[in-house]
């Protein structure tokens, strides 16, 4: 439970950042470990969020795209997805709950066009979410997107994807996004029999406006788009908490 003093401090930070203080609707992840670290108990709607892959996934963008699709799938309405590379795999998006009949694809020739379509989609206001794959995101562009999302109430998700590993350093540059996430793949959940278990992710909340950064080891999305704490991690957390209470 967030204490009133913390809420007041967040409001002061928002004033300094020039963020309007009107109440924002949030989209909970449905995982207490994550939602408790986000202001309002979920991912802010009417805001811009950034997602990137960690390690080699910074180039292929697969884990970041699935994480973005998971967020988009839990909104209502059509999803606009803007790309420059024709390698987005629709069946994979369906496996995390975002089915093809909900997605409108925009295949742009360059990033400038992607950003223009991204902003227009966010301003439209009639979409559940707008997702765009971009390598560079300047403070000016991100601020325009953030203001457009705030005005329309739509959630905007920038999937940061680069063509060379060295370009990923751009992810450290400041933007106007409400949150910034990095998604890295981990070894899958162990099974008692030979086979491949449920995929695992390391979710890094690198930036959270009016909040704190955090890391989460999670089982990747299922067909309903649900994340979950791995059983062994949840058991270990419960044991640790019990030990602290006993102490």
């Amino acid at each position: 439970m967030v204490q009133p003093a913390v809420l007041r401090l967040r409001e002061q930070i928002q004033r300094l950042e020039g963020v309007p203080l009107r109440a924002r609707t949030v989209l909970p992840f449905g995982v207490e470990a994550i939602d408790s670290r986000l202001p309002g108990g979920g991912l802010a709607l009417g805001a811009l969020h950034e997602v990137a892959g960690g390690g080699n996934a910074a180039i292929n963008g697969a884990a970041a795209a699935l994480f973005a699709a998971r967020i988009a799938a839990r909104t209502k309405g059509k999803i606009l997805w803007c790309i420059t590379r024709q390698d987005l795999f629709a069946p994979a998006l369906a496996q995390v709950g975002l089915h093809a009949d909900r997605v409108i694809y925009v295949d742009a020739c360059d990033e400038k066009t992607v950003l223009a379509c991204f902003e227009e989609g966010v301003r439209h206001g009639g979409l559940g979410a707008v997702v765009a794959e971009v390598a560079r995101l300047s403070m000016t562009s991100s601020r325009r997107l953030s203001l457009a999302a705030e005005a329309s109430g739509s959630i905007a998700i920038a999937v940061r994807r680069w063509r060379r590993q060295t370009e990923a350093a751009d992810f450290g540059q400041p933007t106007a996004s409400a949150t910034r996430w990095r998604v890295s793949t981990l070894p899958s959940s162990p099974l008692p029999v030979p086979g491949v278990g449920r995929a695992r992710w390391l979710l890094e909340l690198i930036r959270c406006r009016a909040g704190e950064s955090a890391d989460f080891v999670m089982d990747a999305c299922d067909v309903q788009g649900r994340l979950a704490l791995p059983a062994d991690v949840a058991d270990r957390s419960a044991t640790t908490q019990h030990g602290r209470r006993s102490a």
Side-chain angles (χ1 to χ4, degrees), residues 29-31 34 66-67 70 74 95-97 184-203 217-234:
F29 279 91
V31 180
I34 300 178
L66 290 177
F67 182 65
R70 184 266 177 206
R74 292 173 63 86
Q95 288 181 355
V96 298
S184 304
T185 55
L186 297 174
S188 61
S189 303
L191 295 176
V193 295
V196 179
R198 184 172 174 178
R200 279 188 179 180
W201 291 339
L202 170 62
L203 297 181
V217 175
M218 305 295 299
D219 279 339
C221 301
D222 61 12
V223 292
Q224 280 78 43
R226 295 175 299 194
L227 292 166
L229 278 175
D232 54 339
V233 174

Side-chain angles (χ1 to χ4, degrees), residues 67-140:
F67 182 65
R70 184 266 177 206
I71 296 169
R74 292 173 63 86
T75 65
K76 296 180 180 179
K78 294 288 186 179
I79 310 302
L80 185 68
W81 201 301
C82 308
I83 58 175
T84 57
R85 286 182 268 185
Q86 300 176 350
D87 58 359
L88 190 64
F89 191 50
L93 302 188
Q95 288 181 355
V96 298
L98 184 58
H99 298 281
D101 59 354
R102 290 190 59 197
V103 186
I104 302 170
Y105 298 101
V106 174
D107 185 3
C109 58
D110 54 41
E111 283 214 354
K112 183 178 179 180
T113 306
V114 163
L115 284 171
C117 295
F118 191 13
E119 184 176 338
E120 284 301 313
V122 175
R123 290 189 186 282
H124 182 274
L127 299 166
V130 184
V131 184
E133 297 182 5
V134 294
R136 296 189 178 278
L137 187 63
S138 67
M139 177 59 80
T140 300

